Amino acid sequence: MSGLTRLKAAVRGELADLWCDLHRAQSYAINGKWSMACDNLEERIKLLTPLVGATPWDEIQIPLLENGVYQRIHADLGIAVEPDMERVAECRARMEASAP
């Protein structure tokens, strides 16, 4: 594996972690919507995404897809993403059906 290939894999891994961190930061925000921590994570996502492309939507936390954050961030970058919202809804329904 070349150094460039390893670097791109590392950036993709970091992006996946940043999306997870953004989901967590949003859930901890005082209003449950957005915070300064979210702003910081968004900027880091926007810095790395153009280098390796969009993180696949099926690797993103469901609330970030449902509330449009994933779509908005990519739109800001001029990157088209089209999550399958029907599959997202099906996954949400399965999660809610299995919740205690």
Side-chain angles (χ1 to χ4, degrees), residues 14-60:
E14 180 63 15
L15 269 171
D17 290 344
L18 288 170
W19 281 108
C20 185
D21 292 345
L22 179 57
H23 171 252
R24 190 174 304 113
Q26 190 175 27
S27 67
Y28 290 145
I30 291 174
N31 62 5
K33 295 184 183 207
W34 209 253
S35 67
M36 288 174 42
C38 295
D39 283 338
N40 177 271
L41 291 161
E42 177 180 350
E43 289 306 313
R44 292 169 60 198
I45 289 168
K46 286 180 173 179
L47 178 69
L48 296 178
T49 297
L51 302 175
V52 295
T55 301
W57 69 266
D58 57 354
E59 296 177 16
I60 302 298

